[in-house]
Amino acid sequence: MTEDEFEEVREITPVSRDTGQPPAFAPAVEALPGLARVAAAACWHGTEWGVRTTARAGRRALRAATDPGEAAALARDATEAVAVIGGLARAVSAGVPLATALTSAGESLGELAEPPETGADHERHDGMTLRERGAELLERSRDVWNDDVAHPAYERILDELAPDEARILLLLLQGGPQPSVDVRTGGPVGMVHSQLVAPGLTMIGGRAGCRHLDQVPSYLNNLFRLGLVWFSRESLRDPMEYQVVEAQPDVLAAMHSVKFPKVVRRSIHLTPFGEDFCRTCLVDEDADSETSFPPHGVPPEPDSGEPPSSG
């Protein structure tokens, strides 16, 4: 846009000197050409982003009243916002296309409106007591603009998973519960006192395509630790699932290591928490809504007397 066209716009859209803005914002607002002010107002005040940003800023202002750290962060963000608006005015005046300048300014303001948790908010949490963090959590539960749909632990869990463990979770989600066997001592002595020879032998690693098959027991222990899987004492309904497992070399070696072996059939399931984690984090959103995955058993209640592990 040329200088003559800007002058034409200024004549069509008069600039009101009484903007009602704080003194710090007045020079930047007055420097904006009329067309830019109209477009910026349409972008910032005519969308849901504007409403949510206003609500978030209100919450930050309330926290700033009692938290010096939050007050300093809020003042710093306000100063940066003034700089962004001033930069928008200078960019448009220098001939940068209006759409490009507005997009760049919108991204900068969006970063200010939604600071990352790892920054000032994380440091603020470090200085809060557990009771204060609990009060903030309850405040968020009453926030009608809070649209969190995933459990907050999911992000941490993703950081604690190995790639092979993600493959195992997908196998359990898409293929259903998996067979597992324990090899114990049997025979007459085993009827009185059966000893565990080899626990939790499965084909999960091979079926899931794991690269490190020797790490599968550790993978399963980690998935259990994270609350994503549980080990049932019950066997699967289809006995054919176990015939393949019992023919594997590690199972045969365990059976041949004792005089009277006994095979105990178990199964491995996703927990309800683990199933929701897989649906949320590991499968495509469209596929999740259109696919019916095999059902898994529900872990026993803690007071049922049944241990959660097959060990």
Side-chain angles (χ1 to χ4, degrees), residues 250-283:
D250 54 346
V251 179
L252 293 176
M255 294 176 63
H256 293 155
S257 66
V258 294
K259 187 173 183 180
F260 299 105
K262 178 176 67 174
V263 175
V264 181
R265 295 176 174 179
R266 315 282 197 183
S267 56
I268 301 176
H269 300 252
L270 286 174
T271 63
F273 178 77
E275 186 172 357
D276 184 70
F277 171 82
C278 293
R279 289 177 176 270
T280 303
C281 303
L282 301 182
V283 297

Side-chain angles (χ1 to χ4, degrees), residues 16-38:
S16 173
R17 296 299 177 183
D18 185 13
T19 61
Q21 299 290 335
F25 286 87
V29 173
E30 292 181 0
L32 283 172
L35 181 59
R37 286 199 307 278
V38 173

Side-chain angles (χ1 to χ4, degrees), residues 79-282:
T79 302
E80 294 180 5
V82 173
V84 171
I85 296 175
L88 171 62
R90 290 190 296 271
V92 174
S93 300
V96 176
L98 179 60
T100 302
L102 285 175
T103 299
S104 177
E107 292 175 352
S108 299
L109 290 174
E111 293 175 358
L112 293 177
E114 300 181 3
E117 179 68 19
T118 56
D121 284 348
H122 181 70
E123 294 176 358
R124 177 170 52 81
H125 283 166
D126 286 345
M128 297 173 66
T129 66
L130 294 178
R131 193 176 300 278
E132 289 171 340
R133 294 189 63 178
E136 183 184 50
L137 185 63
L138 291 175
E139 178 186 350
R140 288 170 53 194
S141 73
R142 295 187 290 267
D143 181 7
V144 297
W145 298 109
N146 189 355
D147 57 356
D148 295 339
V149 294
H151 196 283
Y154 288 174
E155 184 175 356
R156 175 184 60 81
I157 290 174
L158 285 171
D159 292 334
E160 299 186 18
L161 288 180
D164 278 349
E165 292 170 348
R167 290 178 176 269
I168 292 174
L169 290 174
L170 272 182
L171 171 68
L172 289 168
L173 178 68
Q174 299 171 348
Q178 296 297 304
S180 170
V181 297
D182 294 345
V183 177
R184 306 186 69 94
T185 55
V189 177
M191 295 178 64
V192 179
H193 180 67
S194 178
Q195 294 182 342
L196 182 64
V197 177
L201 302 178
T202 75
M203 292 182 61
I204 284 182
R207 288 177 174 175
C210 294
R211 296 181 57 188
H212 306 287
L213 296 178
D214 58 322
Q215 295 295 319
V216 170
S218 298
Y219 293 154
L220 291 174
N221 286 336
N222 187 45
L223 295 176
F224 174 75
R225 177 186 67 87
L226 294 171
L228 302 177
V229 304
W230 69 285
F231 307 112
S232 174
R233 287 188 170 189
E234 301 297 326
S235 63
L236 301 179
R237 293 183 178 180
D238 186 2
M240 293 295 294
E241 296 274 2
Y242 292 94
Q243 293 184 9
V244 180
V245 176
E246 292 168 11
Q248 297 304 303
D250 54 346
V251 179
L252 293 176
M255 294 176 63
H256 293 155
S257 66
V258 294
K259 187 173 183 180
F260 299 105
K262 178 176 67 174
V263 175
V264 181
R265 295 176 174 179
R266 315 282 197 183
S267 56
I268 301 176
H269 300 252
L270 286 174
T271 63
F273 178 77
E275 186 172 357
D276 184 70
F277 171 82
C278 293
R279 289 177 176 270
T280 303
C281 303
L282 301 182

